[in-house]
Amino acid sequence: MPRRPQQPSRITVGGMEAVALPVAEYEQLLASRRQMGGQSARIRALSDRLRRTERLLDDLEELIGAADDEAAGLRRAVAELLRRHRGAAQ
């Protein structure tokens, strides 16, 4: 079981309240902060990719809707595929 950190010591420095952490806990806090920054960057990248994919699907759906009747079977199959994937994503 991981050791639970103790409550940090509260100190006053220059009239302002602060906390004193052991060096190991401070380094762990910095490492956690770096990890969160990396996760945030990955989430932003995935969000951008999701928006681009949604635009692609919208454009594809519009293109399929404008196709002539010779490709009606393919158009229906692709439209159904888009609906199915959109339904699964929601």
Side-chain angles (χ1 to χ4, degrees):
M1 179 183 291
R3 185 178 69 86
R4 184 174 177 183
Q6 297 177 5
Q7 290 292 326
S9 301
R10 294 181 180 273
I11 58 175
T12 302
V13 178
M16 294 190 63
E17 187 176 29
V19 292
L21 296 173
V23 172
E25 285 185 30
Y26 179 73
E27 289 173 352
Q28 184 180 9
L29 182 63
L30 290 178
S32 295
R33 186 174 178 186
R34 284 190 299 272
Q35 288 174 352
M36 290 299 295
Q39 292 290 346
S40 295
R42 282 189 283 279
I43 288 171
R44 278 192 304 279
L46 286 172
S47 179
D48 290 343
R49 189 171 184 181
L50 177 62
R51 275 192 292 281
R52 287 193 314 268
T53 301
E54 277 294 322
R55 281 195 303 268
L56 173 63
L57 289 173
D58 288 342
D59 292 346
L60 181 58
E61 191 171 40
E62 185 178 323
L63 182 63
I64 290 168
D68 60 11
D69 285 334
E70 293 178 17
L74 177 61
R75 186 176 69 221
R76 281 192 301 275
V78 173
E80 176 57 32
L81 180 66
L82 287 171
R83 279 192 295 276
R84 192 168 57 237
H85 278 276
R86 281 211 172 117
Q90 293 176 358

